Coordinates of all heavy atoms in Angstrom, one line a residue:
M17 N 108.5 126.3 114.9 CA 107.4 125.3 114.9 C 107.4 124.5 116.2 O 108.4 123.9 116.5 CB 107.6 124.3 113.7 CG 106.6 123.3 113.6 SD 106.7 122.3 112.0 CE 108.3 121.7 112.1
T18 N 106.3 124.8 117.0 CA 106.3 124.0 118.3 C 105.3 122.9 118.1 O 104.2 122.9 117.5 CB 105.6 124.9 119.4 OG1 106.4 126.1 119.4 CG2 105.6 124.2 120.7
M19 N 105.8 121.7 118.5 CA 105.0 120.5 118.3 C 104.8 119.7 119.6 O 105.6 119.8 120.5 CB 105.6 119.6 117.3 CG 105.7 120.1 115.9 SD 106.3 118.9 114.8 CE 105.3 119.2 113.3
S20 N 103.7 119.0 119.7 CA 103.6 118.0 120.8 C 103.2 116.7 120.2 O 102.7 116.6 119.1 CB 102.5 118.5 121.8 OG 101.2 118.6 121.1
M21 N 103.4 115.6 121.0 CA 103.2 114.3 120.4 C 101.7 113.9 120.5 O 101.1 113.9 121.6 CB 104.1 113.3 121.1 CG 105.6 113.6 121.0 SD 106.5 112.1 121.3 CE 106.1 111.7 123.0
P22 N 101.0 113.6 119.4 CA 99.6 113.3 119.5 C 99.3 112.0 120.2 O 100.1 111.0 120.1 CB 99.2 113.1 118.0 CG 100.3 113.7 117.2 CD 101.6 113.7 118.1
E23 N 98.3 112.0 121.0 CA 97.9 110.8 121.8 C 97.3 109.8 120.8 O 96.6 110.1 119.9 CB 97.0 111.1 122.8 CG 96.7 110.0 123.9 CD 95.9 110.5 125.1 OE1 96.5 111.0 126.0 OE2 94.7 110.4 125.1
I24 N 97.5 108.5 121.2 CA 96.8 107.4 120.4 C 95.5 107.1 121.2 O 95.5 106.5 122.4 CB 97.7 106.1 120.4 CG1 99.0 106.5 119.7 CG2 97.0 105.0 119.5 CD1 100.2 105.5 120.0
T25 N 94.4 107.6 120.7 CA 93.1 107.5 121.4 C 92.7 106.0 121.6 O 92.2 105.6 122.6 CB 92.1 108.3 120.7 OG1 92.6 109.6 120.5 CG2 90.7 108.3 121.5
R26 N 92.9 105.2 120.5 CA 92.4 103.9 120.5 C 93.3 103.1 119.5 O 93.6 103.6 118.5 CB 91.0 103.9 120.0 CG 90.4 102.5 119.9 CD 89.0 102.6 119.3 NE 88.5 101.3 118.9 CZ 87.5 100.6 119.6 NH1 87.0 101.2 120.6 NH2 87.1 99.4 119.2
C27 N 93.6 101.8 119.9 CA 94.2 100.9 119.0 C 93.6 99.6 119.0 O 93.5 98.9 120.0 CB 95.8 100.8 119.3 SG 96.6 99.6 118.2
D28 N 93.1 99.2 117.8 CA 92.4 97.9 117.7 C 93.3 96.7 117.3 O 92.8 95.6 117.1 CB 91.2 98.0 116.6 CG 90.2 98.9 117.2 OD1 90.0 98.9 118.3 OD2 89.5 99.5 116.3
A29 N 94.6 96.9 117.4 CA 95.5 95.8 117.1 C 95.8 95.1 118.4 O 96.9 95.2 119.0 CB 96.8 96.4 116.5
T30 N 94.8 94.3 118.8 CA 94.9 93.7 120.2 C 96.0 92.6 120.2 O 96.4 92.2 121.3 CB 93.6 93.1 120.5 OG1 93.1 92.2 119.5 CG2 92.5 94.2 120.8
E31 N 96.5 92.2 119.1 CA 97.6 91.2 119.0 C 98.9 91.8 119.5 O 99.9 91.0 119.7 CB 97.8 90.5 117.6 CG 96.5 90.0 117.0 CD 95.7 91.0 116.3 OE1 95.9 92.2 116.4 OE2 94.7 90.6 115.6
C32 N 99.0 93.1 119.4 CA 100.3 93.8 119.7 C 100.7 93.7 121.2 O 99.8 93.9 122.1 CB 100.3 95.2 119.2 SG 101.7 96.1 119.7
S33 N 101.9 93.5 121.6 CA 102.3 93.3 122.9 C 102.1 94.6 123.7 O 102.1 94.6 125.0 CB 103.7 92.9 123.0 OG 103.9 91.6 122.4
Y34 N 102.0 95.8 123.1 CA 101.9 97.0 123.8 C 100.4 97.3 124.0 O 100.1 98.4 124.6 CB 102.5 98.1 123.0 CG 104.0 98.1 123.0 CD1 104.7 97.9 121.7 CD2 104.7 98.3 124.1 CE1 106.0 97.9 121.7 CE2 106.2 98.3 124.1 CZ 106.8 98.0 122.9 OH 108.1 98.0 122.8
N35 N 99.5 96.5 123.6 CA 98.1 96.8 123.6 C 97.4 96.1 124.8 O 97.6 94.9 125.0 CB 97.4 96.3 122.3 CG 96.0 96.8 122.1 OD1 95.2 96.6 123.0 ND2 95.8 97.4 120.9
R36 N 96.7 96.9 125.6 CA 95.9 96.4 126.6 C 94.5 97.2 126.5 O 94.5 98.4 126.5 CB 96.4 96.6 128.0 CG 97.6 95.7 128.3 CD 98.1 95.8 129.7 NE 99.4 95.3 129.8 CZ 100.5 96.1 130.0 NH1 100.4 97.4 130.2 NH2 101.7 95.6 130.0
D37 N 93.4 96.4 126.4 CA 92.1 97.0 126.4 C 92.0 98.1 125.3 O 91.4 99.2 125.5 CB 91.8 97.7 127.8 CG 91.8 96.6 128.9 OD1 91.4 95.5 128.6 OD2 92.2 97.0 130.0
R38 N 92.6 97.8 124.2 CA 92.5 98.6 123.0 C 93.1 100.0 123.2 O 92.8 101.0 122.6 CB 91.1 98.8 122.5 CG 90.4 97.4 122.0 CD 89.1 97.5 121.4 NE 88.6 96.2 121.2 CZ 88.9 95.4 120.1 NH1 89.7 95.8 119.2 NH2 88.3 94.2 120.1
Q39 N 94.1 100.0 124.1 CA 94.9 101.2 124.3 C 96.4 100.8 124.1 O 96.8 99.7 124.5 CB 94.7 101.8 125.6 CG 93.3 102.5 125.7 CD 93.3 103.6 126.5 OE1 93.4 103.6 127.7 NE2 92.9 104.8 126.0
C40 N 97.2 101.7 123.6 CA 98.6 101.5 123.4 C 99.4 102.0 124.7 O 99.1 103.1 125.2 CB 99.1 102.3 122.2 SG 100.8 102.2 121.9
H41 N 100.3 101.3 125.1 CA 101.0 101.6 126.4 C 102.5 101.8 126.2 O 103.2 101.6 127.2 CB 100.6 100.6 127.5 CG 99.2 100.6 127.8 ND1 98.6 101.7 128.6 CD2 98.2 99.8 127.6 CE1 97.3 101.5 128.7 NE2 97.0 100.3 128.1
T42 N 103.0 102.0 125.0 CA 104.4 102.4 124.9 C 104.5 103.9 124.9 O 103.5 104.6 124.6 CB 105.0 101.7 123.7 OG1 106.4 102.0 123.7 CG2 104.5 102.2 122.4
M43 N 105.6 104.4 125.2 CA 105.7 105.9 125.3 C 105.5 106.5 124.0 O 104.8 107.6 123.9 CB 107.2 106.3 125.7 CG 107.6 105.6 127.0 SD 107.0 106.4 128.4 CE 108.1 107.7 128.6
A44 N 106.1 106.0 122.9 CA 106.0 106.7 121.6 C 106.1 105.7 120.5 O 107.0 104.8 120.6 CB 107.0 107.8 121.5
I45 N 105.3 105.7 119.5 CA 105.3 104.9 118.3 C 105.9 105.6 117.1 O 105.9 106.9 117.1 CB 104.0 104.3 118.0 CG1 103.0 105.3 117.5 CG2 103.4 103.5 119.2 CD1 101.7 104.9 116.9
T46 N 106.4 104.9 116.2 CA 106.8 105.4 114.9 C 105.8 104.8 113.8 O 105.5 103.7 113.8 CB 108.2 105.0 114.5 OG1 109.1 105.5 115.5 CG2 108.6 105.6 113.1
I47 N 105.3 105.7 113.0 CA 104.3 105.3 112.0 C 105.0 105.4 110.6 O 105.7 106.4 110.3 CB 103.0 106.3 112.0 CG1 102.3 106.1 113.2 CG2 102.2 106.1 110.7 CD1 101.4 104.9 113.3
G48 N 104.7 104.4 109.8 CA 104.8 104.5 108.4 C 106.1 104.3 107.7 O 107.2 104.2 108.3
D49 N 106.0 104.2 106.4 CA 107.0 104.5 105.4 C 106.4 105.4 104.5 O 105.3 106.0 104.7 CB 107.6 103.1 104.8 CG 106.5 102.4 104.1 OD1 105.4 103.0 103.7 OD2 106.7 101.2 103.9
A50 N 107.0 105.6 103.4 CA 106.5 106.7 102.4 C 105.2 106.3 101.8 O 104.4 107.2 101.5 CB 107.6 106.9 101.3
S51 N 104.9 105.1 101.7 CA 103.6 104.7 101.0 C 102.5 104.1 101.9 O 101.3 104.1 101.5 CB 104.0 103.6 99.9 OG 104.5 102.5 100.5
C52 N 102.9 103.7 103.2 CA 101.8 103.1 104.0 C 101.9 103.6 105.4 O 103.0 103.5 106.0 CB 102.0 101.6 104.0 SG 100.8 100.7 105.1
P53 N 100.8 104.0 106.0 CA 100.9 104.5 107.4 C 100.8 103.4 108.5 O 100.0 103.5 109.4 CB 99.7 105.5 107.5 CG 98.7 104.8 106.6 CD 99.5 104.2 105.5
M54 N 101.6 102.4 108.4 CA 101.6 101.3 109.3 C 102.2 101.7 110.6 O 103.1 102.6 110.7 CB 102.3 100.1 108.7 CG 103.8 100.2 108.6 SD 104.6 98.9 107.9 CE 104.5 99.3 106.2
C55 N 101.8 101.0 111.6 CA 102.5 101.2 113.0 C 103.8 100.4 113.0 O 103.7 99.2 113.0 CB 101.6 100.8 114.2 SG 102.5 101.0 115.7
D56 N 104.9 101.0 112.9 CA 106.3 100.4 112.9 C 106.6 99.8 114.2 O 107.5 99.0 114.2 CB 107.3 101.4 112.4 CG 108.1 101.1 111.3 OD1 107.8 100.1 110.7 OD2 109.1 101.8 111.0
T57 N 106.0 100.1 115.2 CA 106.3 99.7 116.6 C 105.6 98.4 117.0 O 105.9 97.8 118.0 CB 106.0 100.8 117.6 OG1 106.6 102.1 117.1 CG2 106.5 100.6 119.0
F58 N 104.5 98.0 116.2 CA 103.8 96.8 116.4 C 104.8 95.7 116.6 O 105.7 95.4 115.9 CB 102.9 96.5 115.2 CG 102.2 95.2 115.2 CD1 100.9 95.1 115.7 CD2 102.8 93.9 114.9 CE1 100.2 94.0 115.8 CE2 102.1 92.8 114.9 CZ 100.9 92.8 115.4
V59 N 104.5 94.8 117.7 CA 105.3 93.7 117.9 C 104.5 92.6 118.6 O 103.5 92.9 119.3 CB 106.5 94.0 118.8 CG1 106.1 94.5 120.2 CG2 107.5 92.9 119.0
Q60 N 104.7 91.4 118.2 CA 104.0 90.2 118.9 C 105.1 89.4 119.6 O 105.9 88.8 118.9 CB 103.3 89.4 117.8 CG 101.9 89.8 117.6 CD 101.2 88.8 116.6 OE1 101.8 88.7 115.5 NE2 100.1 88.2 117.0
T61 N 105.0 89.4 120.8 CA 105.9 88.5 121.7 C 105.1 87.9 122.9 O 103.9 88.4 123.1 CB 107.1 89.3 122.3 OG1 106.5 90.2 123.3 CG2 107.8 90.1 121.3
D62 N 105.7 87.0 123.6 CA 105.0 86.5 124.8 C 104.9 87.5 125.9 O 104.0 87.4 126.8 CB 105.7 85.2 125.3 CG 105.5 84.1 124.3 OD1 104.6 84.1 123.4 OD2 106.3 83.2 124.3
A63 N 105.9 88.5 125.9 CA 105.9 89.4 126.9 C 104.9 90.5 126.7 O 104.6 90.9 125.6 CB 107.3 90.1 127.0
S64 N 104.4 91.0 127.8 CA 103.5 92.2 127.8 C 104.4 93.4 127.8 O 105.2 93.6 128.7 CB 102.6 92.2 129.0 OG 101.6 93.0 128.9
G65 N 104.2 94.3 126.8 CA 105.1 95.5 126.7 C 104.5 96.8 127.2 O 103.3 96.9 127.5
G66 N 105.4 97.7 127.5 CA 105.0 99.1 127.9 C 104.6 99.2 129.4 O 104.8 98.3 130.1
D67 N 104.1 100.4 129.7 CA 103.7 100.7 131.0 C 102.2 101.0 131.1 O 101.7 101.8 130.4 CB 104.4 102.0 131.4 CG 104.1 102.5 132.9 OD1 103.1 102.1 133.4 OD2 104.9 103.3 133.4
P68 N 101.4 100.2 131.9 CA 100.0 100.4 131.8 C 99.5 101.7 132.2 O 98.4 102.1 131.8 CB 99.5 99.3 133.0 CG 100.6 98.4 133.2 CD 101.9 99.1 132.8
S69 N 100.3 102.5 132.9 CA 99.9 103.9 133.3 C 100.2 104.9 132.2 O 99.8 106.0 132.3 CB 100.6 104.3 134.6 OG 102.0 104.5 134.4
V70 N 100.8 104.5 131.1 CA 101.1 105.3 130.0 C 100.2 105.2 128.9 O 99.8 104.0 128.5 CB 102.5 105.0 129.5 CG1 102.8 105.7 128.2 CG2 103.5 105.5 130.5
I71 N 99.7 106.2 128.3 CA 98.9 106.2 127.1 C 99.9 106.6 125.9 O 100.5 107.7 126.0 CB 97.7 107.1 127.0 CG1 96.8 106.8 128.2 CG2 97.0 107.1 125.7 CD1 96.1 105.4 128.1
G72 N 100.1 105.8 124.9 CA 101.0 106.0 123.9 C 100.8 107.3 123.0 O 99.7 107.7 122.9
R73 N 101.9 107.7 122.5 CA 101.8 108.9 121.6 C 102.6 108.7 120.3 O 103.3 107.6 120.3 CB 102.4 110.1 122.3 CG 101.5 110.5 123.5 CD 102.0 111.8 124.2 NE 101.1 112.2 125.3 CZ 100.2 113.0 125.1 NH1 99.9 113.7 124.0 NH2 99.4 113.4 126.2
V74 N 102.4 109.5 119.4 CA 103.1 109.4 118.1 C 104.4 110.1 118.2 O 104.4 111.3 118.5 CB 102.4 109.9 116.9 CG1 103.1 109.7 115.6 CG2 101.0 109.3 116.8
G75 N 105.5 109.4 118.1 CA 106.9 110.0 118.2 C 107.3 110.5 116.9 O 107.9 111.6 116.8
A76 N 107.0 109.8 115.8 CA 107.5 110.2 114.5 C 106.6 109.6 113.5 O 106.1 108.5 113.7 CB 109.0 109.9 114.2
C77 N 106.5 110.2 112.3 CA 105.7 109.6 111.2 C 106.4 109.8 109.9 O 106.7 110.9 109.5 CB 104.3 110.2 111.2 SG 103.3 109.5 109.7
K78 N 106.7 108.7 109.1 CA 107.4 108.8 107.9 C 106.4 108.9 106.7 O 106.9 108.8 105.6 CB 108.3 107.6 107.8 CG 109.4 107.7 108.9 CD 110.3 106.4 108.8 CE 109.6 105.3 109.7 NZ 110.4 104.0 109.7
T79 N 105.1 108.9 106.9 CA 104.2 109.0 105.8 C 103.9 110.4 105.4 O 103.0 111.1 105.8 CB 102.8 108.3 106.2 OG1 103.1 106.9 106.7 CG2 101.9 108.1 105.0
S80 N 104.8 110.9 104.6 CA 104.8 112.4 104.3 C 103.6 112.8 103.4 O 103.4 114.0 103.3 CB 106.1 112.8 103.6 OG 106.4 112.0 102.5
N81 N 102.9 111.9 102.8 CA 101.8 112.3 101.9 C 100.5 112.4 102.7 O 99.4 112.6 102.1 CB 101.6 111.3 100.7 CG 101.2 109.9 101.1 OD1 101.5 109.5 102.3 ND2 100.5 109.2 100.2
C82 N 100.5 112.3 104.1 CA 99.3 112.6 104.9 C 99.3 114.1 105.1 O 100.2 114.7 105.4 CB 99.5 111.8 106.2 SG 98.1 112.1 107.4
R83 N 98.0 114.6 105.2 CA 97.8 116.0 105.3 C 98.2 116.4 106.7 O 98.4 117.6 106.9 CB 96.3 116.4 105.0 CG 95.3 115.7 105.9 CD 93.9 116.0 105.5 NE 93.5 117.3 105.8 CZ 92.5 117.6 106.6 NH1 91.7 116.7 107.0 NH2 92.2 118.8 106.9
Y84 N 98.3 115.5 107.7 CA 98.7 115.9 109.0 C 100.2 115.9 109.2 O 100.7 116.2 110.3 CB 98.0 115.0 110.1 CG 96.5 115.1 110.1 CD1 95.7 114.1 109.7 CD2 95.9 116.2 110.6 CE1 94.4 114.1 109.6 CE2 94.5 116.4 110.6 CZ 93.8 115.3 110.2 OH 92.4 115.4 110.2
N85 N 100.9 115.5 108.2 CA 102.4 115.3 108.3 C 103.1 116.6 108.0 O 102.9 117.2 106.9 CB 102.8 114.2 107.4 CG 104.2 113.7 107.8 OD1 105.2 114.5 107.6 ND2 104.4 112.5 108.2
E86 N 103.9 117.1 108.9 CA 104.8 118.2 108.6 C 106.1 117.9 109.1 O 106.4 117.5 110.2 CB 104.3 119.5 109.4 CG 103.2 120.2 108.7 CD 102.8 121.4 109.5 OE1 103.6 122.1 110.1 OE2 101.6 121.7 109.5
A87 N 107.1 117.9 108.2 CA 108.5 117.6 108.4 C 108.7 116.3 109.1 O 109.4 116.1 110.0 CB 109.1 118.7 109.3
L88 N 107.9 115.3 108.6 CA 108.0 113.9 109.1 C 107.6 113.8 110.6 O 107.9 112.9 111.3 CB 109.3 113.3 108.8 CG 109.8 113.3 107.4 CD1 111.2 112.7 107.3 CD2 108.8 112.4 106.5
E89 N 106.7 114.7 111.0 CA 106.1 114.7 112.3 C 104.6 114.7 112.2 O 104.1 115.3 111.1 CB 106.5 115.8 113.2 CG 108.0 116.0 113.3 CD 108.7 114.9 114.2 OE1 108.0 114.1 114.8 OE2 110.0 114.9 114.3
C90 N 103.8 114.2 113.1 CA 102.4 114.2 113.0 C 101.8 115.5 113.8 O 102.1 115.7 114.9 CB 101.8 113.0 113.7 SG 100.0 112.9 113.7
T91 N 101.0 116.2 113.1 CA 100.4 117.4 113.7 C 98.9 117.2 114.1 O 98.2 118.2 114.5 CB 100.5 118.6 112.8 OG1 99.6 118.4 111.6 CG2 101.9 118.9 112.4
A92 N 98.4 116.0 113.9 CA 97.0 115.7 114.3 C 96.9 115.8 115.9 O 97.8 115.7 116.6 CB 96.6 114.3 113.9
E93 N 95.6 116.1 116.3 CA 95.5 116.3 117.8 C 95.6 114.9 118.4 O 96.1 114.8 119.5 CB 94.1 116.8 118.1 CG 94.0 118.3 117.9 CD 92.8 119.0 118.6 OE1 92.2 118.3 119.4 OE2 92.5 120.1 118.1
S94 N 95.1 113.9 117.8 CA 95.2 112.5 118.3 C 95.0 111.6 117.1 O 94.6 112.0 116.0 CB 94.1 112.2 119.3 OG 92.9 112.4 118.7
I95 N 95.3 110.3 117.3 CA 95.2 109.4 116.2 C 94.5 108.1 116.7 O 94.5 107.8 117.9 CB 96.5 109.0 115.4 CG1 97.4 108.1 116.3 CG2 97.2 110.3 115.0 CD1 98.4 107.3 115.5
N96 N 93.9 107.3 115.8 CA 93.4 106.0 116.1 C 94.3 105.0 115.1 O 94.6 105.4 114.1 CB 92.0 105.8 115.7 CG 91.1 106.6 116.6 OD1 91.3 106.6 117.8 ND2 90.1 107.3 116.1
V97 N 94.5 103.8 115.7 CA 95.2 102.8 115.0 C 94.3 101.5 114.9 O 93.5 101.2 115.8 CB 96.5 102.4 115.7 CG1 97.2 101.2 115.0 CG2 97.4 103.6 115.7
G98 N 94.2 100.9 113.7 CA 93.4 99.7 113.6 C 94.1 98.7 112.6 O 95.1 99.0 112.0
M99 N 93.4 97.6 112.4 CA 94.0 96.5 111.6 C 93.6 96.8 110.1 O 92.5 97.2 109.8 CB 93.6 95.2 112.0 CG 94.1 94.7 113.3 SD 95.9 94.8 113.4 CE 96.4 93.4 112.3
H100 N 94.5 96.6 109.2 CA 94.3 96.7 107.7 C 95.2 95.8 107.0 O 96.4 95.8 107.2 CB 94.5 98.1 107.3 CG 94.4 98.3 105.7 ND1 95.5 98.6 105.0 CD2 93.3 98.2 105.0 CE1 95.0 98.7 103.7 NE2 93.7 98.4 103.7
S101 N 94.6 94.8 106.3 CA 95.5 93.8 105.5 C 96.5 93.2 106.5 O 97.6 93.1 106.1 CB 96.2 94.5 104.3 OG 95.2 95.0 103.4
R102 N 96.0 92.7 107.6 CA 96.8 92.0 108.6 C 98.0 92.8 109.1 O 99.0 92.1 109.6 CB 97.3 90.7 108.0 CG 96.0 89.8 107.6 CD 96.5 88.6 106.8 NE 97.1 87.6 107.6 CZ 97.6 86.5 107.1 NH1 97.5 86.2 105.8 NH2 98.2 85.7 107.9
H103 N 98.0 94.1 109.1 CA 99.0 94.9 109.8 C 98.2 96.1 110.4 O 97.1 96.4 110.0 CB 100.1 95.3 108.9 CG 99.8 96.2 107.8 ND1 99.5 95.7 106.5 CD2 99.6 97.5 107.8 CE1 99.2 96.8 105.7 NE2 99.2 97.9 106.5
A104 N 98.9 96.7 111.4 CA 98.3 97.9 112.0 C 98.5 99.2 111.3 O 99.7 99.5 111.0 CB 98.8 97.9 113.5
D105 N 97.5 99.9 111.0 CA 97.6 101.2 110.3 C 97.1 102.4 111.1 O 96.2 102.2 111.9 CB 96.8 101.2 109.0 CG 97.6 100.7 107.8 OD1 98.8 100.4 107.9 OD2 97.0 100.6 106.7
C106 N 97.6 103.5 110.9 CA 97.1 104.8 111.4 C 95.8 105.0 110.6 O 95.8 105.3 109.4 CB 98.0 105.9 111.2 SG 97.3 107.5 111.7
M107 N 94.6 105.0 111.3 CA 93.3 105.2 110.7 C 93.0 106.7 110.5 O 92.1 107.0 109.8 CB 92.2 104.6 111.6 CG 92.4 103.0 111.5 SD 92.2 102.4 109.9 CE 92.6 100.6 110.2
T108 N 93.8 107.5 111.1 CA 93.7 109.0 111.0 C 94.3 109.5 109.7 O 94.1 110.7 109.3 CB 94.2 109.7 112.2 OG1 93.6 109.0 113.4 CG2 93.8 111.2 112.2
F109 N 95.1 108.7 109.0 CA 95.7 109.1 107.8 C 94.7 109.7 106.8 O 93.6 109.2 106.6 CB 96.4 107.8 107.1 CG 96.8 108.1 105.7 CD1 98.0 108.7 105.4 CD2 96.0 107.8 104.6 CE1 98.4 109.0 104.2 CE2 96.4 108.0 103.3 CZ 97.6 108.7 103.1
S110 N 95.1 110.8 106.2 CA 94.3 111.4 105.2 C 95.1 111.9 104.1 O 96.1 112.7 104.4 CB 93.5 112.5 105.9 OG 92.7 113.2 104.9
S111 N 94.9 111.5 102.9 CA 95.8 111.8 101.8 C 95.8 113.3 101.5 O 94.7 114.0 101.6 CB 95.4 111.1 100.6 OG 96.2 111.3 99.6
R112 N 96.8 113.9 101.2 CA 96.9 115.4 100.8 C 96.1 115.7 99.6 O 96.2 114.9 98.7 CB 98.3 115.8 100.6 CG 99.2 116.0 101.8 CD 100.5 116.6 101.4 NE 101.4 116.4 102.5 CZ 101.5 117.2 103.5 NH1 100.8 118.2 103.6 NH2 102.4 117.0 104.4
Ligands
SF4_216 S1 99.7 101.7 118.3 FE1 101.2 100.3 117.5 S2 102.6 99.8 119.2 FE2 100.7 100.7 120.1 S3 99.4 98.9 120.6 FE3 98.8 99.7 118.5 S4 100.0 98.4 117.1 FE4 101.0 98.2 119.2
SF4_217 S1 97.6 111.2 111.1 FE1 99.0 111.2 109.3 S2 100.8 112.2 110.0 FE2 99.7 111.5 111.8 S3 100.5 109.6 112.4 FE3 98.8 109.2 111.0 S4 99.6 109.1 109.0 FE4 101.2 110.0 110.2

């Protein structure tokens, strides 16, 4: 199984320190627990995080009931992240 890390096309969690202009700028995020596809890497600090020249990707995903999840990795071509119930969720999540 050959895998590549899906790009985060857009993130609407503008409160996150890794977010600039609705793009994620950390190297890789971790998504989810078993029941919710939340962005586990979300952080709010005074510091600006990440590298502006980097577009973030999905490093790992623990939401195994998503149809794009194989072996706790994401096989989608890309994902979007947005706010849901006051936390950041993977909006590309699709239930099996
Ligand atoms: S994808 Fe996650 S880490 Fe990246 S900017 Fe959005 S909430 Fe922050
Ligand atoms: S699309 Fe599915 S497998 Fe990929 S990060 Fe989102 S919840 Fe995880």
